[in-house]
Amino acid sequence: MKKKKRLLWQLYPSHLLITLISLLAVSLFASSAFREFFLERTAADLKSRAYLLEKQIEYFISPLDEMSVDSICKAIGEQSFTRITVILPSGKVVGDSEKAPENMDNHADRFEVAEALSGNLGTSIRYSRTLRQDMMYVAIPLENNNEVIAVLRTSIPVTSIYDELRSIQIQIGFGGLLIALFAAGVSLFISKRISRPIEEMKKGAEQFARGDLTYRMPAPDTEEMRGLSEAMNRMAVQLNDRIKTAIKQRNKLEAVLSSMDEGVIAIDRDEKILSINQAAVRMFKSNPYNLEQRSIQEVIRNHELHKIIKKAISNGEHLEGDVVLYQDEESILNVQTTLLLDEGENFIGILVVLNDVTRLRRLENMRKEFVSNVSHEIKTPLTAIKGFVETLSQGAMENPGETKRFLNIIEKHVNRLVALIEDLMHLSVIEQKDKSEGITLEKGHIRSVIKTAIQICQAKAEAKKIKINLICPEDISAGIDPPLLEQAAVNLLDNAIKYSEAGGLIRIEAITTDTEVSISFKDYGIGIPKEHLPRLFERFYRVDKARSRKLGGTGLGLAIVKHIVQTHGGYVTVESNPGEGSNFVIHLPEISGQ
């Protein structure tokens, strides 16, 4: 951005520049005039000298007496400090005050000589190769019976003229410098006199801008500035009164908007933000000063919200709908619009009210998904049981072999239902304890809990010839509820056995750090694709539903583990790659002062 100049430095240089340009123009004109004057006077003087010699030279031209002509030129030239040259129409020099004529070039091509030969007065300034300096030449024709019989040329060096002119130019320049200095002082004085009242008003305006509307500007001497000062003082009084009124109204409105949990945005017909409350600012994680007067499309990158706002402004409708906002995390906003009218009931925009319903919608989705999953998990075995019971009732009981097989299948599905209900009840009890009374944590040894879990699962491991290695020092302890932690360990160990190949290995290791105790359950089985890891601890979520049901899983085991660990104040993580196995780690907080 270009730097602004003070008024003084805009007025003063312009005044000074005008003065300097005027002085320069006068100086150049005067110098040129003096030069022309001196050259004209010199040419006139040379012309007069030539005419004074005209008769003497003509006497020896016709008939021609070269020696006499040359003698006259040298004698008179020495006395008058003038170079005198006589040239015949052929260009031959017959007399010269400075050089021997016979040694001189033909002068017929000299400008002044050519002019004189044509019957005119010839004048020229040029460098003389003979004398090696700038010379002024004046040539006149010598005539006899209207016929040019010779040319008489007089000349002097112009160096002295140039020296005199240079002296005059120095004097003019010195005088101009004195005048320029005087003009600079006068211009500075006048510029300050003009800019000083404006500077005073600038200070007053800055006082008003800082909010000091009680400040009053002084009255300058000039009528125009005095009128401006009085007008600005009156403006300050009126503005102060209006600002006080506006502040009172704004404070009331801000108090109402700030106390709301709902986000409120006022948008004009051009889809620019007029106002926004703190709740909306928090929703968009932005600065309110960066939002106002900006287009809603700049501030919020959400097509669905833009669509609702555009439709509400175009049709003047009251609209409502949910939009998903993606920022640091996904959030769901319920959007309601209403018309924004001015004092004259004219439509000037819309008011958008935003409710953060993220948690509510997620709970609704979780409830729907949970009901759907539970219904599906219960319906599947019930449908099977019903089918086999109908088959038995329709005569299959007469075949003892088939009856026993059907009863075994019915028993399997009943056991699956029992396991599902037990897991649901177990999960419900854990959540209820966590939310209401909590659980009592006592300092306990981790190794004994893990060994009990291994004993419970030992039979399944031996059936698949799976070896379980436990690495846990005796002294590792944490604040735990042993039965709950044992249940979590059993669930993780049971999963590791299910998804390990026969003859495999499961490694359980507990270590302690300054902040936590971690227990890892590492298997080398089929592994889990990475896209399933984020949802692995959700209820009823299965990576391979068919395989999971075949192995007798309810889909709640890992959800139970997650809640058990959370009730202990910890968390559970998982790392896995397909074909390389999985590693589930329980992280428990270290007991303070252990």
Side-chain angles (χ1 to χ4, degrees):
M1 183 177 179
K2 188 177 180 180
K3 186 177 180 180
K4 303 297 182 182
K5 294 181 180 179
R6 293 177 58 191
L7 180 61
L8 172 63
W9 299 116
Q10 291 180 339
L11 292 173
Y12 174 59
S14 60
H15 290 171
L16 185 59
L17 183 61
I18 292 171
T19 303
L20 293 177
I21 291 174
S22 301
L23 286 172
L24 181 61
V26 170
S27 299
L28 292 175
F29 176 77
S31 178
S32 177
F34 275 116
R35 184 178 184 278
E36 293 297 326
F37 172 76
F38 274 101
L39 293 176
E40 288 177 3
R41 293 301 301 166
T42 303
D45 184 54
L46 290 173
K47 179 182 176 183
S48 299
R49 297 180 188 182
Y51 281 121
L52 288 174
L53 293 172
E54 181 181 8
K55 296 300 181 181
Q56 297 182 51
I57 298 300
E58 284 181 352
Y59 181 78
F60 295 102
I61 292 297
S62 182
L64 178 62
D65 184 352
E66 293 186 17
M67 292 183 62
S68 298
V69 171
D70 187 54
S71 297
I72 293 172
C73 290
K74 285 180 168 56
I76 296 176
E78 185 178 356
Q79 293 175 0
S80 62
F81 301 103
T82 305
R83 183 183 183 187
I84 301 171
T85 309
V86 178
I87 304 105
L88 296 178
S90 63
K92 179 182 178 181
V93 178
V94 295
D96 188 80
S97 60
E98 299 290 338
K99 298 291 183 178
E102 61 271 14
N103 296 330
M104 296 179 67
D105 298 333
N106 188 292
H107 279 43
D109 60 345
R110 305 296 195 268
F111 175 78
E112 69 279 0
V113 174
E115 285 290 311
L117 289 174
S118 64
N120 300 318
L121 177 68
T123 303
S124 172
I125 298 176
R126 68 172 186 276
Y127 180 77
S128 172
R129 293 192 298 273
T130 304
L131 301 180
R132 297 181 180 178
Q133 59 181 330
D134 291 330
M135 302 287 289
M136 173 178 276
Y137 299 94
V138 174
I140 63 173
L142 302 180
E143 298 177 342
N144 186 12
N145 296 324
N146 295 324
E147 181 181 352
V148 177
I149 59 175
V151 172
L152 175 60
R153 186 182 71 178
T154 57
S155 61
I156 63 172
V158 295
T159 307
S160 59
I161 299 174
Y162 290 158
D163 291 341
E164 188 67 25
L165 285 174
R166 192 174 296 108
S167 176
I168 294 173
Q169 289 172 346
I170 291 173
Q171 293 178 21
I172 292 173
F174 183 72
L177 179 60
L178 293 178
I179 295 173
L181 292 174
F182 176 74
V186 173
S187 297
L188 182 60
F189 174 75
I190 295 173
S191 300
K192 284 187 175 180
R193 186 177 179 84
I194 294 173
S195 64
R196 187 178 296 111
I198 299 176
E199 291 287 343
E200 292 293 332
M201 289 194 175
K202 176 190 172 186
K203 292 179 181 178
E206 288 175 348
Q207 291 290 108
F208 295 158
R210 285 195 288 266
D212 184 9
L213 296 176
T214 60
Y215 177 82
R216 295 295 173 262
M217 293 185 178
D221 296 335
T222 58
E223 182 179 351
E224 292 83 2
M225 292 297 181
R226 180 187 294 273
L228 179 60
S229 175
E230 292 174 353
M232 294 189 72
N233 286 335
R234 288 194 301 271
M235 178 197 69
V237 173
Q238 296 172 3
L239 189 60
N240 192 29
D241 294 338
R242 293 184 181 182
I243 287 177
K244 288 180 179 178
T245 302
I247 289 175
K248 289 180 182 179
Q249 294 175 348
R250 185 195 65 187
N251 290 341
K252 291 179 182 177
L253 180 61
E254 286 187 351
V256 173
L257 293 176
S258 298
S259 62
M260 296 176 63
D261 292 330
E262 297 83 0
V264 179
I265 309 176
I267 303 174
D268 65 14
R269 300 183 68 173
D270 295 327
E271 300 185 24
K272 290 186 177 181
I273 298 175
L274 298 175
S275 178
I276 184 168
N277 72 342
Q278 290 297 321
V281 170
R282 289 192 295 271
M283 289 178 183
F284 301 127
K285 296 179 175 60
S286 186
N287 188 323
Y289 300 105
N290 293 336
L291 297 180
E292 293 184 1
Q293 301 304 320
R294 291 176 60 187
S295 170
I296 192 72
Q297 285 85 359
E298 290 183 61
V299 175
I300 308 168
R301 307 290 183 180
N302 188 282
H303 176 71
E304 290 299 322
L305 180 60
H306 297 165
K307 186 176 179 181
I308 293 173
I309 292 173
K310 188 178 289 293
K311 185 176 180 181
I313 293 176
S314 301
N315 303 332
E317 299 181 25
H318 298 275
L319 300 176
E320 180 180 359
D322 286 355
V323 298
V324 179
L325 188 66
Y326 298 95
Q327 290 182 331
D328 294 341
E329 57 183 11
E330 180 183 283
S331 58
I332 303 172
L333 302 179
N334 180 258
V335 182
Q336 299 183 43
T337 68
T338 186
L339 302 183
L340 195 61
L341 307 176
D342 62 9
E343 296 178 354
E345 298 296 319
N346 298 314
F347 175 59
I348 62 172
I350 61 172
L351 196 68
V352 181
V353 180
L354 305 167
N355 286 287
D356 190 343
V357 294
T358 306
R359 181 175 176 81
L360 179 62
R361 294 292 185 265
R362 287 177 179 172
L363 289 173
E364 289 177 356
N365 291 335
M366 288 176 63
R367 178 184 59 80
K368 291 177 182 178
E369 187 175 350
F370 178 74
V371 171
S372 175
N373 286 331
V374 170
S375 300
H376 178 76
E377 293 295 332
I378 293 177
K379 183 179 180 181
T380 299
L382 283 178
T383 301
I385 292 172
K386 180 182 178 183
F388 285 115
V389 169
E390 288 177 352
T391 302
L392 289 172
S393 64
Q394 291 174 2
M397 293 183 64
E398 296 176 0
N399 187 336
E402 286 296 313
T403 301
K404 185 175 181 181
R405 186 173 68 86
F406 288 166
L407 289 176
N408 288 334
I409 294 173
I410 291 172
E411 182 183 14
K412 176 183 176 183
H413 285 293
V414 169
N415 291 336
R416 180 180 173 189
L417 279 174
V418 171
L420 177 62
I421 293 171
E422 286 180 349
D423 281 350
L424 285 172
M425 292 180 64
H426 195 183
L427 187 58
S428 176
V429 170
I430 294 172
E431 288 179 336
Q432 190 64 30
K433 285 184 177 181
D434 189 27
K435 291 179 180 178
S436 58
E437 63 200 41
I439 62 174
T440 302
L441 300 180
E442 300 177 352
K443 183 178 180 180
H445 293 286
I446 301 298
R447 183 179 179 85
S448 61
V449 174
I450 302 300
K451 287 184 69 175
T452 303
I454 293 174
Q455 291 174 359
I456 295 173
C457 300
Q458 189 67 44
K460 291 183 179 180
E462 290 177 352
K464 294 182 69 175
K465 299 181 179 180
I466 293 174
K467 184 178 180 182
I468 301 174
N469 285 347
L470 173 61
I471 303 173
C472 179
E474 294 286 351
D475 59 345
I476 293 182
S477 60
I480 60 174
D481 181 314
L484 286 180
L485 185 59
E486 179 186 306
Q487 178 64 46
V490 168
N491 287 2
L492 291 178
L493 187 55
D494 185 64
N495 275 356
I497 294 171
K498 286 179 182 177
Y499 297 104
S500 291
E501 299 295 336
L505 172 68
I506 298 174
R507 178 187 176 92
I508 304 174
E509 182 177 7
I511 59 175
T512 180
T513 66
D514 294 338
T515 58
E516 67 176 19
V517 174
S518 62
I519 310 168
S520 66
F521 295 79
K522 170 69 176 175
D523 67 70
Y524 301 89
I526 61 175
I528 304 168
K530 290 188 180 299
E531 62 268 20
H532 295 286
L533 296 181
R535 299 190 60 189
L536 204 57
F537 294 95
E538 294 181 12
R539 302 175 187 186
F540 297 109
Y541 186 81
R542 293 185 174 93
V543 176
D544 185 344
K545 294 183 179 181
R547 182 183 178 95
S548 179
R549 289 194 181 98
K550 182 179 179 180
L551 296 174
T554 63
L556 294 173
L558 292 180
I560 292 173
V561 171
K562 174 185 173 182
H563 283 82
I564 289 175
V565 176
Q566 286 179 345
T567 59
H568 283 74
Y571 61 96
V572 60
T573 59
V574 59
E575 295 178 357
S576 183
N577 288 305
E580 298 179 6
S582 304
N583 185 27
F584 289 82
V585 183
I586 295 174
H587 302 266
L588 300 176
E590 180 79 344
I591 297 177
S592 179
Q594 180 176 334

